[in-house]
Amino acid sequence: MKKILVTGALGQIGSELVGKLREIYGTSHVIGTDIRELEEKEGEGPFEVVDVMDADQLFSVAKKYNVDTMMHLAALLSAKAEAFPRVAWDLNLGGLFNALEVARELELQFFTPSSIGAFGPSTPRDNTPQDTLQRPTTMYGVNKVAGELLCDYYYSRFGVDTRGVRYPGLISHVTPPGGGTTDYAVEIYYEAMINKTYTSYISEGTYMDMMYMPDALDAIIQLMEADPGKLISRNAFNITAISAAPEDFAAAIQKHIPEFTLSYNVDPIRQEIADSWPNSIDASAARDEWGFQAVYDMDTMTREMLEKVAGKLV
Ligand code: NAD
């Protein structure tokens, strides 16, 4: 049975991942850590305050709980990384380096997510291949490409069992997103329920890949359980569920709230980031090497998001 330490456990992904892992591996087998203190409403189970920039602290908590796996989620997301590039460099690469060193020293299995942000304007836009040109023009993208390579290096040089996916924009109703370019795809559901209208900072016709959180969590669990002998891409599997523009979300919402309206007030910084990312990515390597297949599409995700958001607002 795995014993797992999760960094950045109070973020958009970690706050749901920890609960899901505890259902599978048992509460005492999953140690949540974050730079932030746990609030009472954020659940029970082992939790420690850990700053991933402090390598000794991360090492001693991993050793204290005798974990065999680390899922490293602490990072600064795309839009925030553009606002604070120096912090992004330090956290996204320095934190990752510290986490990989702990994995090497304690012989841990290791997961960390890359992103569709690891692609850039010269990458083929449609059906973006698994192996292709990666010349991103954002600080976040630079961090993610370097992170993919660093994880490959720890595998080939030191034999650390590193694994990862390139996440698309993730949509969830539990914890608000942490400052990414696809955050509009979460906000739109809240605004649809509250005001029946939404003003998008991303322009009409801007397609990006998206995924509902339950599929994103299943991807981590499946990849970490996959037969290592079958993994070729290892640290940066393209995965996707939906390729959509703001008007596609509006059309799906209008099936439930016909009076819903969408308007645009484009934010040039986030639009520029979105324009440098693929319209849709090819996830066949993940399907062939470890059987990944998303369950939710735009309609099933929208129905559930609207139900869950309505439940939160009463
Ligand atoms: P998030 O911003 O919601 O959460 C990050 C967490 O890290 C926060 O709880 C924060 O308190 C914590 N943190 C910040 N600095 C820290 C430090 N120094 N030490 C320890 N913890 C620290 O991020 P997320 O959306 O959960 O993303 C997790 C990972 O997934 C990141 O690598 C991100 O790049 C990647 N990713 C996310 C998405 C998405 O749409 N959410 C898409 C692609 C990739």
Side-chain angles (χ1 to χ4, degrees):
M1 179 84 84
K2 286 188 190 303
K3 196 156 191 202
I4 306 164
L5 183 147
V6 180
T7 72
L10 301 181
Q12 192 195 11
I13 299 175
S15 58
E16 292 192 58
L17 177 66
V18 166
K20 175 97 185 172
L21 293 172
R22 285 181 176 156
E23 280 169 24
I24 298 169
Y25 302 108
T27 300
S28 63
H29 279 237
V30 183
I31 293 81
T33 72
D34 202 285
I35 197 168
R36 192 158 75 64
E37 291 278 356
L38 183 74
E39 289 173 27
E40 216 171 290
K41 61 175 173 44
E42 289 177 311
E44 290 167 2
F47 181 86
E48 301 267 350
V49 172
V50 174
D51 178 354
V52 297
M53 300 307 292
D54 183 340
D56 294 340
Q57 190 187 29
L58 184 58
F59 180 87
S60 63
V61 170
K63 195 153 175 62
K64 171 180 164 189
Y65 287 93
N66 201 21
V67 297
D68 56 28
T69 304
M70 188 185 305
M71 297 185 178
H72 176 61
L73 304 178
L76 206 65
L77 269 64
S78 55
K80 279 199 183 159
E82 240 22 65
F84 306 105
R86 173 80 212 207
V87 179
W89 178 267
D90 289 345
L91 175 59
N92 295 354
L93 288 171
L96 175 62
F97 186 84
N98 290 341
L100 282 164
E101 272 298 285
V102 173
R104 181 181 68 79
E105 287 180 66
L106 298 177
E107 297 183 10
L108 312 182
Q109 197 194 22
F110 188 84
F111 171 87
T112 200
S114 185
S115 157
I116 53 169
F119 298 120
S122 54
T123 302
R125 280 290 156 80
D126 296 306
N127 208 25
T128 303
Q130 175 66 44
D131 295 313
T132 185
L133 262 178
Q134 288 182 266
R135 305 287 296 173
T137 47
T138 63
M139 176 50 89
Y140 183 69
V142 169
N143 299 162
K144 287 301 185 188
V145 176
E148 291 179 6
L149 294 173
L150 196 60
C151 290
D152 282 349
Y153 175 76
Y154 268 73
Y155 171 66
S156 59
R157 174 82 168 79
F158 303 117
V160 178
D161 183 1
T162 52
R163 305 182 185 198
V165 295
R166 292 184 184 125
Y167 272 137
L170 300 182
I171 294 162
S172 67
H173 52 83
V174 174
T175 301
T181 303
T182 53
D183 292 8
Y184 86 83
V186 175
E187 290 168 10
I188 197 168
Y189 290 108
Y190 283 86
E191 291 301 313
M193 290 308 303
I194 298 167
N195 297 320
K196 304 198 177 354
T197 183
Y198 178 66
T199 304
S200 172
Y201 59 79
I202 293 292
S203 75
E204 187 174 0
T206 305
Y207 280 83
M208 286 183 277
D209 286 85
M210 305 278 177
M211 183 178 283
Y212 193 36
M213 190 60 84
D215 283 327
L217 303 183
D218 283 345
I220 301 181
I221 292 155
Q222 274 177 41
L223 175 58
M224 293 303 270
E225 294 286 356
D227 175 356
K230 295 201 173 138
L231 301 181
I232 300 162
S233 304
R234 228 170 216 285
N235 286 308
F237 282 99
N238 283 0
I239 59 167
T240 189
I242 299 157
S243 160
E247 62 270 27
D248 298 316
F249 285 90
I253 290 169
Q254 279 158 351
K255 290 180 189 167
H256 303 269
I257 306 172
E259 63 275 37
F260 175 75
T261 58
L262 175 65
S263 57
Y264 297 90
N265 180 14
V266 173
D267 167 15
I269 293 179
R270 285 179 286 185
Q271 183 65 40
E272 197 180 330
I273 299 176
D275 286 340
S276 76
W277 290 359
N279 298 330
S280 65
I281 63 174
D282 169 20
S284 54
R287 201 170 51 239
D288 297 345
E289 292 174 39
W290 47 282
F292 179 72
Q293 180 67 56
V295 172
Y296 285 86
D297 62 14
M298 176 62 91
D299 283 334
T300 48
M301 174 180 74
T302 296
R303 191 178 319 122
E304 198 168 301
M305 276 299 286
L306 290 174
E307 265 172 34
K308 298 284 184 187
V309 170
K312 282 179 92 166
L313 295 174
V314 288

